[in-house]
């Protein structure tokens, strides 16, 4: 814990990241069974409350799965779910699109074109987006690959 210039204790700056992966409840439950216990609306309401208290943007992690959650309509649904900022204010959410790393899973990663179109759909609706770089694929050390090899 740090101390403010007045000597009062300050909490460390926290960043909140939400693993979302789908704005549709049924698909999100399929990809993330925890959605049954913590429905998307409740989680997004909690994220908005966090923003109101801390004034810190919430990061949304979204793994891009080919033919599963990377369609244009799904980008529009995500933009609708994350909307709600006040006029002239920055977006509460910033989306990190994460290219899926190949493992022995039933999923394939989205193409660069699909990711670019998804990004464009979000940005055109004032949702800030970053596409994560992929590193370590060539040695099976990218995110998720080490766990898949260890299993």
């Amino acid at each position: 814990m740090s101390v403010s210039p007045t000597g009062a204790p300050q909490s460390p700056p926290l960043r909140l990241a939400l693993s979302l992966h789908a704005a549709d409840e049924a698909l999100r439950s399929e990809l993330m069974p925890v959605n049954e216990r913590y429905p998307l609306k409740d989680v997004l309401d909690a994220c908005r409350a966090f923003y109101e208290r801390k004034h810190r943007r919430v990061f949304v992690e979204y793994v891009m799965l080919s033919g599963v959650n990377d369609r244009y309509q799904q980008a529009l649904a995500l933009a609708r779910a994350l909307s709600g900022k006040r006029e002239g204010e920055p977006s509460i959410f910033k989306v990190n699109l994460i290219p899926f790393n190949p493992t022995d899973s039933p999923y394939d990663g989205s193409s660069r074109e699909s990711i670019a179109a998804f990004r464009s759909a979000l940005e055109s609706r004032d949702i800030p987006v970053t596409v994560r770089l992929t590193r370590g694929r060539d040695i099976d050390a990218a995110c998720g690959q080490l766990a898949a090899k260890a299993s």
Side-chain angles (χ1 to χ4, degrees):
M1 190 169 292
S2 63
V3 178
S4 73
T6 63
Q10 289 182 319
S11 299
L14 298 175
R15 292 190 182 244
L16 181 61
L18 168 65
S19 293
L20 187 65
H21 314 310
D24 171 82
E25 292 283 357
L27 178 57
R28 187 163 187 265
S29 290
E30 180 183 324
L31 297 174
M32 301 178 61
V34 72
N35 190 58
E36 295 297 321
R37 187 165 181 193
Y38 301 103
L40 184 57
K41 181 190 179 313
D42 295 347
V43 172
L44 291 176
D45 286 347
C47 290
R48 287 182 175 98
F50 171 86
Y51 180 83
E52 288 298 318
R53 280 192 314 276
K54 300 290 184 179
H55 301 285
R56 296 190 64 85
R57 183 177 277 173
V58 176
F59 294 88
V60 173
E61 309 301 322
Y62 196 98
V63 173
M64 300 294 294
L65 303 171
S66 180
V68 176
N69 68 349
D70 64 348
R71 293 184 201 98
Y72 179 75
Q73 294 80 6
Q74 290 162 318
L76 297 181
L78 180 60
R80 280 191 302 273
L82 301 180
S83 67
K85 70 177 186 157
R86 295 184 186 116
E87 188 67 33
E89 289 186 0
S91 177
I92 293 172
F93 299 97
K94 179 176 182 179
V95 176
N96 291 315
L97 298 179
I98 305 168
F100 180 70
N101 294 309
T103 61
D104 291 332
S105 86
Y107 301 111
D108 290 318
S110 301
S111 68
R112 287 181 184 198
E113 294 79 16
S114 293
I115 293 171
F118 201 94
R119 177 185 190 164
S120 179
L122 292 174
E123 288 178 334
S124 70
R125 283 150 185 85
D126 296 324
I127 305 291
V129 183
T130 298
V131 177
R132 290 263 180 93
L133 296 175
T134 56
R135 294 188 176 134
R137 281 186 178 180
D138 56 332
I139 58 171
D140 289 338
C143 183
Q145 289 182 312
L146 292 175
K149 291 288 181 180
S151 300

